[in-house]
Amino acid sequence: MTEEQRTPRILIGKPGLDGHDRGAKVVARALRDAGMEVIYTGLRQTPEMIVEAALQEDVDAIGLSILSGAHLPLTERVMALLRENDMADVPVFLGGIIPADDLPALEALGVTGVFGPGASTEEIVALVRGAVERG
Amino acid sequence: MDDLLLQVRQGRPRAIARLITLVENSETAAETAVTALYSATGQAHIIGITGPPGSGKSTLVNELAKEFRRQDRRVAIIAVDPSSPFTGGALLGDRVRMRDLAGDTGIFIRSMASRGSLGGLAEATAGAVKILDAAGFPVILVETVGAGQAEVDIANAAHTTLVIEAPGMGDDIQTFKAGILEIADILVVNKADRPGADRTIQALELMLHMGEGSATRHHGRLLSTPDNGPTADGAWQIPVQATTATQGKGIPELVVDIQRHYAYLQASGVWLEREKERSRRELERLLQARLLRQLQVTVAPDRREALVTAVAAREMDPYTAVTELFAHLSPSKQAGA
Ligand SMILES: Nc1nc2c(ncn2[C@@H]2O[C@H](COP(=O)(O)OP(=O)(O)OP(=O)(O)O)[C@@H](O)[C@H]2O)c(=O)[nH]1
Ligand SMILES: [Mg+2]
């Protein structure tokens, strides 16, 4: 009943055409177990669908799981749509198989953090929480 | 806040989303928003969709929304999932089944966690429903898992309540939860493509007919009546509708049932009765919350704690403790006593 207690709301989505959402679900559950409200949007989302959901759900952060290799164009599109909708301040995280060579480009696009397949859920939770609390 | 409220009235999605968050998180924001928007509410048809986990509620909501859109009516959806009582977190996955609705500006979907608040589901969704109503959505669909108090809450908050069942959960009457007839305005047997659907329908119809001799009153109306058509006193007869949500089957028929129920509510005056009932509950809930808050402000925490300790140690009974606490809230009563 306390005033102004804000439970973080995080959107987890899978843009692109690859069909594995195991990793995304593990992250979704870890964030839930850390006390966050996770909006899970499922497979094969377009950047438009993801940003529309993020807007309607008024999320504090967005996590994208991309295994297809198309992370650069997909992320670029998501970031552009966020800017268009005046949501550039929403932190975006990326998980999946992302070559180290692409990290500078992703950073330049404004991505807050990238997790490889080896990242622990503790690490992910800590980073997301940090970003949400800064915001 | 004024700017935000104005944009909500104009139906701007970002403003709607933000205001729902504010209202969800802060009692003060809720008060400001509801005070400003209340006169613009009362237009929407609020439809509750409840039923056991996995019965196909979200898939059905997706199909219902598409059917309403074909009639060019804008649709807002609130999908509620339980919060974990241990961590407070929640996994809100209903959108997965609503992807057909993406990209349609006539649709607004919001996932909500139940957050285990004092007033339960009713309190959690009341604010969001009012915001969407004031934003001009003529149809608001509220999905909740049918579990205990949640389905009673949703029936109280909605004008029309759909109870969804699915075959394969046993086919006799005992398998349906007690009380679903008091809650349902329309019974839906989804997954009609599955074996056993006929028997589920029959069992529900049998249950309705067994209720006919002792028709119970709910919200001041008769619940079940024999055969087709309204009875002499124009009571609502609960239809049983079969659907296969994954194929869109039975959906236009279900929407006809929903619209018949709307017409019935209006013509019979039950709409107003339900609004009154809902308002009564809402006032009680707000009063309870305010009294509790008032108590926390007026009575020092150590005094409250001392009473708790005294009750635990059997030095004082709980009624006497509450009488003492209450005296702080009602000085006039105290003076008069
Ligand atoms: N065969 C069949 N499967 C269906 C039908 N409707 C839904 N399903 C499937 O049932 C599963 C659950 O559907 P949902 O719509 O998520 O059910 P729900 O009641 O919203 O589930 P919760 O929100 O988790 O309680 C999904 O795999 C659907 O594809 C139907 O008419 N026939
Ligand atoms: Mg669902």
Side-chain angles (χ1 to χ4, degrees), chain B residues 17-293:
Chain B
R18 291 229 132 150
L19 191 60
I20 292 176
T21 308
L22 284 172
V23 162
E24 212 181 3
N25 287 309
S26 150
E27 200 62 39
T28 335
E31 185 166 345
T32 312
V34 172
T35 309
L37 295 176
Y38 196 71
S39 62
T41 64
Q43 307 302 312
H45 184 190
I46 301 161
I47 303 164
I49 292 102
T50 187
S55 51
K57 298 178 293 296
S58 300
T59 314
L60 205 63
V61 164
N62 180 60
E63 294 303 314
L64 285 174
K66 285 197 288 186
E67 186 65 22
F68 281 116
R69 290 299 291 141
R70 270 176 220 124
Q71 304 179 4
D72 214 22
R73 310 189 71 199
R74 294 163 68 232
V75 181
I77 296 164
I78 302 173
V80 189
D81 282 306
S83 299
S84 155
F86 305 110
T87 66
L91 195 49
L92 313 174
D94 295 311
R95 281 190 98 101
V96 173
R97 309 269 168 230
M98 301 182 191
R99 52 179 295 136
D100 294 352
L101 308 177
D104 180 348
T105 53
I107 300 264
F108 186 97
I109 308 172
R110 180 70 172 220
S111 312
M112 286 182 85
S114 58
R115 295 200 179 174
S117 51
L118 184 69
L121 181 75
E123 190 178 27
T125 57
V129 165
K130 287 195 191 75
I131 291 165
L132 294 163
D133 189 347
F137 288 96
V139 177
I140 302 177
L141 305 174
V142 186
E143 172 188 340
T144 62
V145 176
Q149 191 56 35
E151 58 191 357
V152 180
D153 285 347
I154 195 57
N156 288 337
H159 299 116
T160 302
T161 302
L162 277 51
V163 173
I164 319 300
E165 300 286 348
M169 298 163 129
D171 295 309
D172 49 43
I173 301 181
Q174 278 77 20
T175 54
F176 304 121
K177 270 194 290 176
I180 64 167
L181 291 191
E182 274 85 77
I183 289 163
D185 298 301
I186 298 169
L187 288 166
V188 180
V189 177
N190 188 42
K191 308 198 185 184
D193 56 325
R194 289 267 182 90
D198 288 347
R199 269 176 298 160
T200 307
I201 294 166
Q202 277 164 20
L204 284 171
E205 275 169 353
L206 182 63
M207 202 162 129
L208 284 173
H209 281 276
M210 281 175 20
E212 82 193 28
S214 59
T216 34
R217 277 191 176 270
H218 168 55
H219 298 299
R221 80 214 146 101
L222 285 166
L223 265 178
S224 65
T225 52
D227 301 316
N228 284 316
T231 51
D233 62 348
W236 175 251
Q237 187 186 343
I238 302 175
V240 181
Q241 179 64 52
T243 58
T244 304
T246 40
Q247 298 164 24
K249 282 195 186 143
I251 305 300
E253 292 84 346
L254 182 54
V255 168
V256 168
D257 282 337
I258 291 170
Q259 285 166 344
R260 267 204 311 124
H261 188 249
Y262 179 85
Y264 155 79
L265 290 174
Q266 295 290 352
S268 61
V270 174
W271 179 278
L272 272 180
E273 276 172 46
R274 284 196 176 192
E275 282 293 323
K276 254 183 90 171
E277 218 22 69
R278 200 193 45 70
S279 304
R280 192 188 317 282
R281 278 196 201 88
E282 181 163 36
L283 294 192
E284 278 170 14
R285 204 168 63 231
L286 291 178
L287 190 62
Q288 270 177 19
R290 190 170 289 195
L291 282 173
L292 212 56
R293 230 176 322 139

Side-chain angles (χ1 to χ4, degrees), chain A residues 15-33:
Chain A
L17 297 175
D18 60 293
H20 295 286
D21 63 350
R22 230 169 300 131
K25 281 184 171 159
V26 168
V27 171
R29 263 181 240 122
L31 294 171
R32 174 201 58 190
D33 293 343

Side-chain angles (χ1 to χ4, degrees), chain A residues 75-108:
Chain A
T75 308
E76 187 172 7
R77 184 75 186 128
V78 168
M79 301 313 275
L81 286 166
L82 285 175
R83 274 194 305 278
E84 262 173 44
N85 284 283
D86 194 23
M87 294 172 70
D89 58 332
V90 179
V92 175
F93 293 89
L94 227 62
I97 303 162
I98 310 228
D101 287 354
D102 291 339
L103 294 182
L106 289 169
E107 199 181 331

